[in-house]
Amino acid sequence: MEKLQPLIDRLGYVFRDQKLLATALTHSSYANEGGRSALHNERLEFLGDSVLGLIAADYLYRRDKSPEGELTKLRAAVVCEKALCAYAAELELGDHLMLGKGEKRSGGAARPSILADAFEAVLAAVYLDGGMEAAQKFLHPFIEKEAANQQNTKFQDYKTILQEIIQQNPGERLEYLLTGETGPDHNKRFLVEVHLHSNVIGTGAGRSKKEAEQQAAREALKLMGY
C-alpha cells in the first residue's frame, strides 16, 4: 500500500481496512484478466452511487433554500458523470487504477466513465470503513465546490438574460444601484436595486455586490414572467 500513500494523503482519510481501497481501485478488466479471481470495484460502485445521492441531497437540503425543482437540478449537476470525473481527476485516481492490459492501452485510466465509477467506489469504501460521518467529511468539499460553480454560472446568466431582453427595445437601459450595506466587515451583505430608466424592477441582496446584482436581476426576470 506504500504506492497508494500519496492518494491516501489526498483522500484525507486513513483506512483501517486498506483492502477496501485496493478493491475500489481495481477495475473488472484487471480482476478478470489472465484467470485472476481478484475482487473488483463494481459492487462498491453500486453502493457508492446510493451513498453519493443521499449525502448530496442531505447537503443541499441543509445549505440551500431553493425550491425542490432547483435542488433537483443542482443535485443532478453535482453527481453527474462529468462532476465525478472532475472529482476523480482532483484526486488523481487514474494514476492508481488497476486496469487490464487492453483497457490500459486504450486509455482507460482517463476514460470518464471509469473515473466516475472509481470515485463512487472509493466513496463506498470510505463509507464501509468509517461510516456515514467519514463519507460526508470526504465528499462535502467536492459537492460544496461544484455547487458553488453551478450557482455562480446560474447567477451570471440572470444578468445576461435580463440584458438581452432589455436590448430588444432600443433606447432602454439598465442600471444597478447599491442601496445599502449591513453587517460587520467580515460578514457584510449588500443591497442592490436594478432600474429600468427611473423604475425599480428588481432588488437583491448578497455577500458581494456582484451576487446582489445577480439576485436583483433574478427578481426582475421573475416579475417579467421569465
Side-chain angles (χ1 to χ4, degrees), residues 113-133:
S113 60
I114 289 179
L115 288 174
D117 288 349
F119 183 85
E120 288 183 330
V122 169
L123 173 61
V126 173
Y127 168 73
L128 290 174
D129 192 73
M132 182 60 76
E133 185 175 347

Side-chain angles (χ1 to χ4, degrees), residues 176-226:
Y176 292 86
L177 298 178
L178 179 66
T179 59
E181 300 178 18
T182 61
D185 289 343
H186 68 278
N187 191 27
K188 275 191 176 298
R189 287 189 67 79
F190 297 87
L191 307 176
V192 166
E193 292 178 348
V194 56
H195 290 222
L196 180 59
H197 302 305
S198 59
N199 300 314
V200 179
I201 61 171
T203 61
R207 294 181 179 178
S208 67
K209 294 177 184 177
K210 181 178 179 181
E211 182 181 344
E213 289 176 355
Q214 301 295 349
Q215 292 300 328
R218 181 183 187 183
E219 182 178 275
L221 287 168
K222 284 184 178 180
L223 292 174
M224 296 167 66
Y226 290 91

Side-chain angles (χ1 to χ4, degrees), residues 12-178:
Y13 178 78
V14 178
F15 282 85
R16 289 173 293 184
D17 181 1
Q18 294 190 343
K19 290 181 181 178
L20 280 169
L21 178 59
T23 301
L25 297 171
T26 303
H27 189 257
S28 59
S29 63
Y30 178 87
N32 299 326
E33 189 175 71
R36 293 192 188 101
S37 58
L39 294 174
H40 55 78
N41 65 9
E42 287 183 359
R43 282 171 50 84
L44 285 173
E45 183 267 325
F46 165 79
L47 176 60
D49 180 67
S50 295
V51 175
L52 173 69
L54 176 59
I55 294 178
D58 177 78
Y59 178 90
L60 295 174
Y61 178 84
R62 295 177 187 277
R63 289 166 174 77
D64 193 305
K65 304 304 180 185
S66 299
E68 184 268 346
E70 291 190 25
L71 286 178
T72 298
K73 292 178 182 177
L74 188 54
R75 181 185 60 185
V78 303
V79 303
C80 70
E81 182 180 282
K82 181 179 178 181
L84 297 182
C85 185
Y87 306 161
E90 187 172 335
L91 294 171
E92 300 178 20
L93 284 186
D95 293 343
H96 300 280
L97 292 179
M98 301 293 289
L99 301 169
K101 293 178 181 177
E103 195 66 66
K104 187 180 295 185
R105 282 196 299 268
S106 65
R111 185 167 295 127
S113 60
I114 289 179
L115 288 174
D117 288 349
F119 183 85
E120 288 183 330
V122 169
L123 173 61
V126 173
Y127 168 73
L128 290 174
D129 192 73
M132 182 60 76
E133 185 175 347
Q136 289 173 322
K137 185 177 180 181
F138 164 68
L139 184 60
H140 278 175
F142 295 103
I143 296 177
E144 181 179 14
K145 185 185 298 184
E146 184 59 28
N149 289 339
Q150 293 293 327
Q151 289 172 326
N152 287 338
T153 300
K154 182 173 62 176
F155 288 157
Q156 291 169 4
D157 284 344
Y158 296 141
K159 287 188 70 175
T160 299
I161 293 171
L162 181 60
Q163 184 66 35
E164 290 175 350
I165 292 171
I166 297 303
Q167 285 178 342
Q168 293 175 7
N169 300 308
E172 294 195 342
R173 183 172 62 89
L174 289 173
E175 185 177 11
Y176 292 86
L177 298 178
L178 179 66

